[in-house]
Amino acid sequence: MDIKYGFGKTVELTFDQAIERVTQALQAEGFGVLADIDVAGAMKKKLNQDMPPYRILGACNPPLAHRALTVESSIGLLLPCNVVVRQDDAGKVHVEFMDPNAVLDLVGKPDITQLAGEVRQRLQRVMQAL
């Protein structure tokens, strides 16, 4: 995956297995899933359009989020960390992570930049665990 605002990998898992594994790996790094958005389900329901499975998991590590909110109260606009689990038209499953550095650099505060680096390391470990 070559995008400026995220990183990820293709996994040799079914879509449902990938959701389960990424949720477990997030928990091991102190993240809970606050939101689970079924994009494919919403497109079918609202637009009657079919698309491969696509879910956005809103992951939050409460101690890290608290630190960020203490430094910058409006940072909630950039939270939680989104993790996308999607299946492409060929049936391959991809797990992609928002890069906290790309988003949190917008804040321009050294404490937030340091925190973003810590969050990124945790998310990279989640990716490696898949």
Side-chain angles (χ1 to χ4, degrees):
M1 190 178 97
D2 187 28
I3 55 175
K4 294 179 183 179
Y5 50 87
F7 56 92
K9 70 188 222 180
T10 303
V11 294
E12 297 296 323
L13 300 167
T14 67
F15 182 80
D16 289 338
Q17 288 171 331
I19 291 286
E20 185 176 328
R21 289 275 298 278
V22 76
T23 301
Q24 290 170 348
L26 285 166
Q27 288 173 345
E29 288 293 333
F31 291 87
V33 175
L34 297 180
D36 183 346
I37 303 165
D38 179 358
V39 176
M43 294 300 155
K44 181 65 175 174
K45 183 177 179 180
K46 300 289 184 183
L47 302 176
N48 200 29
Q49 295 292 317
D50 291 314
M51 67 179 285
Y54 191 115
R55 283 174 49 194
I56 303 170
L57 306 177
C60 178
N61 179 303
L64 298 178
H66 182 262
R67 281 174 45 197
L69 289 162
T70 301
V71 173
E72 178 67 47
S73 59
S74 295
I75 204 159
L77 291 166
L78 304 176
L79 300 177
C81 296
N82 284 330
V83 179
V84 169
V85 180
R86 65 180 179 84
Q87 186 171 309
D88 63 23
D89 290 332
K92 292 280 187 190
V93 176
H94 308 272
V95 181
E96 300 164 337
F97 301 83
M98 176 194 74
D99 185 348
N101 292 336
V103 178
L104 297 181
D105 277 348
L106 297 171
V107 179
K109 291 191 175 181
D111 290 350
I112 295 296
T113 302
Q114 177 187 354
L115 187 58
E118 187 176 335
V119 172
R120 189 179 202 283
Q121 287 177 344
R122 288 174 183 257
L123 293 175
Q124 285 179 310
R125 287 193 298 263
V126 170
M127 182 182 73
Q128 291 165 357
L130 300 176

